[in-house]
């Protein structure tokens, strides 16, 4: 009796999901592949948005991203025409600006313009919005949530920020909700004494007072005051943030969402992929599988042409044989790389199990910095 | 040994950065091997939760946060953030008990996590402690090589002391800040080395990073190391690779013995074609680096079968070879 195999094709993924989050460590080609996935979806009739973070200049320009940040815009028609692309769907692109996303959130939830401005001008806020570790990842999720709820895209593809390890993206929500939701932390800073601008120790229980003394000692009182002011202004927004954090969490856990890991066919990248899978399992997040990018193309076996063209007495044959020697070296080097990669791919296949998808995309002879090349990628992806 | 390399190694602190995926950890380990080869004691510091150094020296991963011998005269430290934070807090609070009481309520942890500049400060303070053993009681080392985050985060890390100085003006943290600024700004003690590879984004990031450091920070910048460069380990390869397919077909057709092997020749030429295209891309980006005027050194793409640990040794040997010159401005 035949068992039905799960259809793990990329086309199926692209035509059935509402959100696809592409994770992976730095340098694996996440942005290029995300763009190709989005383009393919649009070519298949879906109204698609790609959210990128840090595209290379030429690709950004091809996607129409050079002018606008943090706002979606259609990929320019002339770029599509240049690449000979006819869309039956819609293809929009957006470049995330994490700091602006923070500012937009503050503007959205601040109870008044003056509170909003106080926050914008607060020293702590200026530091936090730009550089809070995990902030860029969390802002990507915030923006995703906004795009998914305010607009009517069929599919949103998220190109996640570059990171050391694929898993870094998954830590952001946890860090942010710890930051926002730790009530005792906020209690201290939001108490009346702090809000009045005075560090009136007598107003607190002995526990909090010694804690504040310590923090004051560590940082210098001025910073405590900055923090207090920041949090007291922030207080009204915390409930909003909290609700939102929960809604985002629900979105990424839903069956309409899927995580895709992009990796390189190299030892360290594959190890990283397995750590990522484990984390996804722990968090109960929907995992489609892995795309191994820039895989060395396999070539047919050949005879050793060096033996055929062995040097004889003539000078000319000597030249030819040197040439053949070098050409065979180039060929063999590619085949050796293929062999090593195939071993790694088999290992990954083993460790991923049979239900997760594992696809490979070959190394291209050109850089992915134009829509013609992105289109070429879609042709490869379509068959997977 | 190459003069420029010797020059990097005269420092006490080498900060290695670069876009993710270009071989930062590999090069950090290789620099450690080179330092050890010259008789120095090197400490390789890894940040965050990545623990690659043990692998790169074929050693088992160290448990917890302890110095680990990776090779003769090379020690590794892969301290997770929590341990560094504890040491930081204790150096201010002086009482371990107090710190643990705070941690239990998670307040201090969240506080430091919430203030990104302080987060970086904890890391830099750890570096400072490791280089000032007489004050901190840490064991001595001649040289600390930090496998720093990717360029964007590294820039934030290096800028954080300056940013914090405007906000924290007095107290024990200020003292720590001053120590760190003094260390980083001392061009004889500290140097930043950026790793890249001959591709679009990595080169863009490397050049932008170096410009930012030169513009905003008072930090010595070492030569760029361009890793994974193809075609330089086999003599004559680059030349053959640059020839066109038509030219090669013509040259090969001259040898009658090869005539029955047209299919095989086509296959071999397909491999050649791919390499030729990759080398063209590579050349384009190497030229960008050359045009920038920054000194640089190229390191090769290594054999595919080599283990990561063997690659470290191969890279170290390559860099120490005096015939492998730096390209200077």
């Amino acid at each position: 009796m035949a068992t039905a195999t799960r259809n793990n094709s990329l086309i199926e993924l692209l035509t059935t999901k509402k959100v696809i989050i592409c994770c992976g460590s730095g340098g694996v080609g996440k942005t290029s592949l995300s763009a190709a996935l989005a383009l393919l979806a649009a070519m298949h009739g879906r109204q698609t948005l790609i959210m990128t973070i840090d595209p290379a200049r030429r690709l950004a320009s091809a996607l129409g991203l050079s002018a606008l940040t943090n706002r979606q815009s259609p990929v320019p028609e002339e770029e599509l025409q240049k690449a000979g692309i006819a869309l039956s769907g819609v293809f929009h692109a957006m470049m995330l600006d994490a700091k602006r996303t923070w500012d937009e959130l503050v503007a959205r939830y601040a109870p008044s313009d003056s509170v909003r401005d106080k926050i914008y001008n607060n020293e702590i806020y200026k530091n936090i919005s730009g550089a809070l570790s995990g902030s860029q990842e969390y802002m990507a999720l915030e923006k995703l949530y906004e795009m998914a709820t305010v607009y009517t895209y069929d599919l949103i593809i998220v190109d996640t920020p570059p990171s050391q390890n694929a898993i870094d993206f998954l830590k952001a929500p946890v860090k942010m909700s710890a930051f926002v939701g730790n009530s005792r932390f906020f209690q201290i800073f939001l108490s009346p004494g702090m809000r009045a601008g005075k560090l009136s120790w007598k107003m607190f229980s002995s526990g909090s007072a010694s804690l504040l003394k310590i923090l004051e000692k560590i940082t210098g009182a001025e910073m405590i005051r900055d923090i207090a002011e920041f949090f007291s202004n922030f207080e009204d927004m915390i409930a909003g943030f909290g609700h939102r954090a929960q809604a985002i969490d629900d979105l990424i856990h839903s069956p309409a969402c899927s995580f895709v890991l992009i990796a390189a066919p190299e030892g360290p990248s594959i190890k990283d992929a397995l750590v990522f899978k484990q984390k996804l399992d722990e968090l109960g997040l929907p995992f489609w599988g892995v795309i191994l990018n820039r895989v060395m193309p396999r070539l047919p076996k050949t005879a050793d042409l060096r033996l055929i063209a062995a040097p004889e007495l003539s000078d000319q044959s000597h030249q030819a044989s040197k040439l053949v020697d070098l050409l065979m070296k180039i060929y063999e080097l590619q085949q050796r790389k293929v062999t090593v990669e195939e071993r790694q791919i088999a290992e990954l296949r083993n460790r991923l199990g049979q239900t997760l998808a594992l696809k490979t995309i070959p190394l291209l002879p050109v850089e992915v910095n134009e829509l013609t090349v992105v289109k070429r990628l879609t042709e490869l992806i379509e068959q997977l | 040994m190459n003069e420029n390399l010797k020059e990097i190694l005269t420092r006490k602190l080498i900060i290695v950065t670069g876009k993710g995926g270009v071989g930062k950890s590999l090069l950090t380990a290789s620099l450690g091997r080179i330092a050890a080869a010259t008789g120095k004691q090197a400490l390789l510091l890894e940040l965050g939760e990545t623990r690659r150094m043990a692998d790169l020296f074929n050693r088992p991963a160290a448990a917890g946060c302890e110095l680990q011998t990776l090779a003769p005269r090379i020690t590794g430290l892969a301290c997770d953030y929590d341990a560094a934070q504890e040491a930081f807090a204790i150096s201010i609070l002086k009482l371990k008990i107090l710190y643990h009481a705070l941690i239990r309520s998670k307040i201090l942890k969240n506080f430091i996590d919430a203030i990104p500049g302080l987060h970086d400060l904890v890391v830099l303070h750890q570096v400072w402690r490791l280089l000032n053993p007489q004050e901190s009681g840490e064991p001595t080392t001649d040289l600390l090589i930090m496998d720093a985050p990717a360029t964007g985060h590294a820039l934030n890390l290096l800028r954080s002391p300056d940013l914090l100085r405007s906000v924290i003006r007095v107290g024990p943290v200020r003292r720590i800040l001053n120590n760190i600024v003094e260390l980083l700004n001392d061009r004889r003690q500290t140097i930043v080395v950026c790793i890249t590879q001959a591709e679009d984004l990595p080169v863009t990031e490397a050049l932008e990073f170096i410009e930012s450091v030169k513009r905003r920070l008072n930090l010595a910048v070492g030569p760029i190391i361009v890793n994974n460069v193809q075609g330089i380990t086999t003599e004559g390869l680059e030349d053959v690779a640059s020839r066109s397919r038509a030219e090669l077909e013509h040259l090969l057709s001259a040898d009658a013995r090869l005539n029955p092997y047209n299919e095989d020749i086509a296959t071999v030429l397909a491999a050649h074609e791919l390499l030729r295209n990759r080398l063209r891309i590579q050349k384009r980006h190497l030229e960008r680096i050359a045009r920038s005027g920054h000194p640089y050194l190229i390191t090769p793409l290594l054999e595919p079968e080599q283990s990561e640990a063997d690659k470290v040794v191969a890279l170290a040997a390559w860099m120490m070879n005096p015939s492998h010159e730096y390209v200077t401005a």
Side-chain angles (χ1 to χ4, degrees):
Chain A
M1 190 153 70
T3 32
T5 47
R6 209 177 105 159
N7 180 4
N8 263 340
S9 75
L10 275 165
I11 290 287
E12 202 231 351
L13 180 74
L14 290 171
T15 49
T16 55
K17 296 296 173 185
K18 197 171 190 285
V19 174
I20 295 173
I21 301 179
C22 296
C23 295
S25 59
V28 294
K30 251 189 306 188
T31 304
S32 311
L33 280 186
S34 305
L37 289 169
L39 176 59
L40 187 56
M43 284 161 72
H44 274 257
R46 302 203 88 196
Q47 311 217 52
T48 311
L49 169 69
I50 175 172
M51 279 179 51
T52 66
I53 313 283
D54 183 25
R57 212 146 288 165
R58 284 182 67 185
L59 186 60
S61 163
L63 292 172
L65 290 174
S66 20
L68 264 44
T69 50
N70 240 26
R71 305 265 296 275
Q72 73 279 28
S73 60
V75 172
E77 188 56 45
E78 69 253 23
E79 295 290 342
L80 291 169
Q81 272 175 15
K82 255 196 313 192
I85 298 170
L87 294 181
S88 54
V90 148
F91 187 20
H92 285 189
M94 192 190 111
M95 190 153 59
L96 177 78
D97 180 331
K99 179 165 197 315
R100 266 200 218 172
T101 307
W102 263 104
D103 291 347
E104 286 167 13
L105 279 172
V106 169
R108 180 195 300 266
Y109 286 108
S112 70
D113 284 356
S114 78
V115 170
R116 176 201 66 196
D117 292 337
K118 272 198 214 138
I119 290 182
Y120 283 170
N121 292 321
N122 181 280
E123 282 302 320
I124 302 299
Y125 176 71
K126 284 186 204 163
N127 268 323
I128 280 184
S129 58
L132 181 68
S133 68
S135 172
Q136 209 182 20
E137 286 80 1
Y138 192 75
M139 287 306 114
L141 289 172
E142 277 283 349
K143 210 49 171 162
L144 166 64
Y145 182 74
E146 181 191 330
M147 292 291 124
T149 50
V150 173
Y151 299 93
T152 54
Y153 290 105
D154 294 324
L155 171 62
I156 301 173
I157 296 190
V158 183
D159 169 27
T160 55
S163 63
Q164 184 121 346
N165 308 295
I167 202 184
D168 292 344
F169 186 75
L170 303 176
K171 295 189 190 149
V174 174
K175 269 197 166 136
M176 280 304 293
S177 58
F179 170 64
V180 171
N182 187 307
S183 56
R184 182 147 178 237
F185 183 43
F186 284 107
Q187 238 179 9
I188 289 182
F189 286 111
L190 300 177
S191 59
M194 297 297 285
R195 265 183 271 167
K198 297 194 203 84
L199 293 170
S200 43
W201 307 111
K202 292 192 183 82
M203 294 183 71
F204 303 106
S205 67
S206 58
S208 313
S210 58
L211 192 58
L212 278 170
K213 277 208 177 88
I214 286 158
L215 289 176
E216 187 189 42
K217 184 180 179 206
I218 290 171
T219 64
E222 228 171 279
M223 175 166 258
I224 292 284
R225 246 156 286 205
D226 276 335
I227 296 168
E229 191 216 73
F230 171 66
F231 285 132
S232 74
N233 286 323
F234 217 73
E235 183 187 13
D236 293 321
M237 305 193 309
I238 286 170
F241 260 79
H243 284 222
R244 221 172 152 81
Q246 185 57 56
I248 290 172
D249 208 49
D250 291 341
L251 173 65
I252 62 177
H253 274 91
S254 82
C257 174
S258 203
F259 281 78
V260 172
L261 177 70
I262 314 223
E266 314 263 333
S269 186
I270 287 178
K271 272 197 193 139
D272 184 53
L274 294 169
V275 170
F276 182 80
K277 171 184 182 290
Q278 195 182 15
K279 191 69 181 178
L280 275 186
D281 286 343
E282 264 175 48
L283 296 173
L285 288 167
F287 190 20
W288 171 84
V290 180
I291 302 178
L292 286 177
N293 196 20
R294 299 196 189 135
V295 171
M296 193 60 85
R298 183 171 240 282
L299 292 169
K301 279 212 160 85
T302 68
D304 188 344
L305 298 176
R306 279 177 290 230
L307 300 174
I308 315 295
E312 286 165 356
L313 290 171
S314 78
D315 204 23
Q316 202 180 27
S317 79
H318 205 75
Q319 291 284 37
S321 83
K322 255 177 47 184
L323 180 63
V324 166
D325 182 51
L326 283 167
L327 286 173
M328 284 303 294
K329 279 201 168 94
I330 293 173
Y331 164 77
E332 281 166 354
L333 188 58
Q334 180 165 334
Q335 292 296 69
R336 280 162 57 199
K337 185 82 170 88
V338 168
T339 305
V340 170
E341 286 181 358
E342 283 182 346
R343 222 183 4 240
Q344 283 160 341
I345 293 169
E347 160 88 21
L348 181 60
R349 170 81 279 164
N350 226 344
R351 306 279 294 272
L352 284 179
Q354 291 312 308
T355 43
L356 293 174
L358 173 57
K359 310 288 181 186
T360 60
I361 296 188
L363 177 68
L364 295 179
V366 289
E367 293 176 289
V368 188
N369 53 18
E370 290 175 326
L371 284 188
T372 37
V373 189
V374 177
K375 178 163 181 249
R376 192 162 160 180
L377 277 176
T378 64
E379 287 153 18
L380 292 166
I381 292 171
E382 211 160 12
Q383 301 160 36
L384 298 176
Chain B
M1 194 200 303
N2 188 292
E3 281 306 311
N4 283 281
L5 194 51
K6 268 197 205 148
E7 220 253 331
I8 296 179
L9 293 174
T10 59
R11 304 314 204 280
K12 296 217 76 182
L13 173 60
I14 303 176
I15 299 170
V16 181
T17 184
K19 190 178 195 316
V22 300
K24 232 177 346 106
S25 301
L26 273 179
L27 265 309
T28 300
S30 297
L31 287 170
R33 282 209 175 269
I34 295 171
T38 63
K40 290 185 193 264
Q41 174 74 37
L43 170 58
L44 308 182
L45 177 66
E46 279 184 289
L47 305 179
E49 279 142 54
T50 350
R51 273 148 204 264
R52 285 202 63 200
M53 287 302 145
D55 255 352
L56 295 176
F57 287 88
N58 272 334
R59 308 285 295 135
C65 175
E66 274 177 17
L67 285 168
Q68 179 190 19
T69 302
L70 297 172
R73 284 195 293 278
I74 306 177
T75 41
L77 185 59
C79 241
D80 60 39
Y81 182 75
D82 285 348
Q85 187 179 294
E86 174 172 344
F88 171 80
I90 288 168
S91 68
I92 298 169
L93 301 174
K94 308 292 184 217
L95 286 174
K96 214 170 201 176
I97 297 168
L98 198 52
Y99 176 75
H100 285 292
L102 282 172
I103 280 301
R104 234 176 306 145
S105 67
K106 286 199 162 79
I107 301 289
L108 189 62
K109 206 166 161 18
N110 275 338
F111 178 76
I112 291 182
D113 277 351
I115 316 296
L118 272 186
H119 192 283
D120 293 328
L121 184 60
V122 165
V123 167
L124 290 173
H125 177 64
Q126 180 182 34
V127 169
W128 182 87
R129 274 193 352 267
L130 290 165
L131 288 172
N132 290 276
Q134 70 283 9
E135 305 224 12
S136 62
E138 302 272 358
T140 50
T141 189
D142 292 322
L143 163 61
L144 193 159
I145 310 177
M146 172 161 64
D147 186 1
T151 51
H153 292 144
L155 194 61
N156 285 336
L157 177 70
L158 296 172
R159 291 187 69 204
S160 64
D162 289 333
L163 290 176
L164 278 172
R165 278 217 286 193
S166 60
V167 186
I168 298 174
R169 294 176 230 273
V170 289
V173 177
R174 176 74 193 202
R175 279 196 292 278
I176 288 174
L177 269 174
N178 289 340
N179 286 336
I180 289 170
V181 169
E182 192 185 320
L183 169 64
L184 293 179
N185 289 352
D186 186 343
R187 285 158 171 270
R188 289 160 314 152
Q189 283 210 74
T190 302
I191 194 166
V192 174
V193 174
C194 191
I195 317 292
T196 189
Q197 59 190 26
E199 280 178 18
D200 196 346
L201 271 178
V203 169
T204 300
E205 283 195 23
L207 295 178
E208 281 179 357
F209 173 78
I210 290 178
E211 280 312 301
S212 294
V213 170
K214 285 188 170 174
R215 207 170 0 116
R216 299 187 194 175
L217 295 169
N218 191 12
L219 230 56
V221 177
I224 298 175
I225 298 181
V226 191
N227 194 22
N228 293 323
V229 173
Q230 289 184 264
I232 55 175
T233 50
T234 306
E235 208 187 308
L237 201 84
E238 218 174 337
D239 176 64
V240 166
S242 65
R243 300 204 186 190
S244 75
R245 187 178 179 130
E247 195 187 338
L248 293 172
E249 276 171 346
H250 177 77
L251 285 168
L252 293 172
S253 67
D255 190 332
R257 296 170 297 174
L258 291 170
N259 287 346
Y261 294 93
N262 279 329
E263 262 185 51
D264 288 357
I265 289 175
T267 300
V268 168
L269 289 180
H272 165 269
E273 186 71 15
L274 180 59
L275 180 64
R276 185 165 95 104
N277 283 310
R278 297 306 304 179
L279 287 184
R280 215 184 349 214
I281 296 170
Q282 179 176 278
K283 184 168 183 217
R284 192 182 312 149
H285 296 295
L286 277 172
E287 279 168 1
R288 287 170 65 201
I289 297 174
R291 274 199 305 269
S292 74
H294 296 301
Y296 65 96
L297 170 72
I298 57 178
T299 52
L301 180 67
L302 296 166
E303 313 274 295
E305 299 86 358
Q306 274 186 318
S307 70
E308 298 294 295
D310 288 340
K311 284 182 183 169
V312 171
V313 173
L315 281 174
W318 175 274
M319 287 194 281
M320 286 198 290
N321 185 331
S323 67
H324 295 144
E325 283 298 305
Y326 277 81
V327 179
T328 46

